[in-house]
Amino acid sequence: MGITMPKLGLVVGSLILLAATCAVAQNETHNKSDNDDKSARIAPIVALDECDPITFNAALGPDFCKNVALGALGFSTTLSDLFTKAAAKAPDPGWDFEPDTLTIKEGTTLVVTDQGGEPHTFTEVKKFGGGFIDGLNAGEQTVHECSGGFSNVAVAKTRLIQGSQMEVTNLSKGEHHFECCIHPWMRVTVEVK
Ligand SMILES: [Cu+2]
């Protein structure tokens, strides 16, 4: 007995130490995968444009187009040029969502940020087509998801004001299409696996 007790004590002590070590190891693993999951669960998308503040704001009101990074250096597009290019079926490539296509895991949140100078929408559509401003549609018909413009609450809810961000969650598996209902050549295809 005199010999067994200390041995048992040693065994118990070792077991406690082992359990503690396992707990630490488990915690580390748990935290690590938590972080990995979190970054994997967010997919960033940016909306870009190079609106010319002078011509846009003259027509559409002060502050409609703002904070265009290199506008003063001539990198911006005037309002009339934007319409002319769209009508010629050569829409201005400065108006763009990036990336154009992406593949995400189910449960991933799309975080869409308007890094351009003017408002956009990020609207899910069944099939790509025209937005609600005829002059920018290059002859394409307005898709029903965009019809009515901002008087349609479903469209208004997808509006992305300059400098703001929106999240799209709970996308089902399969292919999803998003476009800007103002500038309908701004398009993104999301494949959810
Ligand atoms: Cu747009």
Side-chain angles (χ1 to χ4, degrees):
M1 280 302 260
I3 294 165
T4 314
M5 281 305 283
K7 260 193 185 164
L8 188 64
L10 194 66
V11 170
V12 170
S14 300
L15 280 177
I16 289 171
L17 190 67
L18 188 67
T21 310
C22 281
V24 168
Q26 264 177 1
N27 269 343
E28 277 170 3
T29 313
H30 190 64
N31 286 342
K32 191 167 181 291
S33 66
D34 248 13
N35 287 340
D36 286 353
D37 280 348
K38 214 171 219 174
S39 54
R41 275 190 260 121
I42 287 174
I45 295 175
V46 294
L48 299 167
D49 69 68
E50 296 294 341
C51 59
D52 164 51
I54 296 169
T55 52
F56 274 72
N57 294 346
L60 300 163
D63 277 353
F64 182 87
C65 167
K66 55 187 174 185
N67 301 333
V68 180
L70 297 175
L73 298 177
F75 286 92
S76 53
T77 299
T78 64
L79 184 62
S80 60
D81 280 355
L82 185 71
F83 276 82
T84 306
K85 288 176 177 180
K89 301 193 176 182
D92 195 298
W95 273 249
D96 191 23
F97 286 121
E98 281 295 336
D100 299 322
T101 59
L102 66 160
T103 301
I104 60 172
K105 270 191 197 163
E106 195 179 19
T108 303
T109 297
L110 302 179
V111 178
V112 192
T113 309
D114 185 352
Q115 300 273 15
E118 63 153 317
H120 298 281
T121 82
F122 190 74
T123 310
E124 181 157 17
V125 297
K126 265 218 174 74
K127 222 180 132 198
F128 290 131
F132 63 83
I133 298 175
D134 274 347
L136 292 173
N137 284 346
E140 278 192 296
Q141 253 204 317
T142 303
V143 294
H144 76 90
E145 293 93 338
C146 291
S147 72
F150 293 136
S151 62
N152 176 352
V153 177
V155 179
K157 279 201 300 196
T158 64
R159 178 162 57 181
L160 201 53
I161 290 167
Q162 199 267 346
S164 73
Q165 205 167 63
M166 67 182 275
E167 293 187 352
V168 179
T169 54
N170 298 322
L171 286 175
S172 57
K173 283 189 185 187
E175 202 168 69
H176 295 263
H177 304 289
F178 295 89
E179 69 176 56
C180 175
C181 285
I182 304 169
H183 318 97
W185 62 92
M186 298 174 68
R187 297 174 176 183
V188 179
T189 299
V190 181
E191 175 81 29
V192 183
K193 298 260 184 191

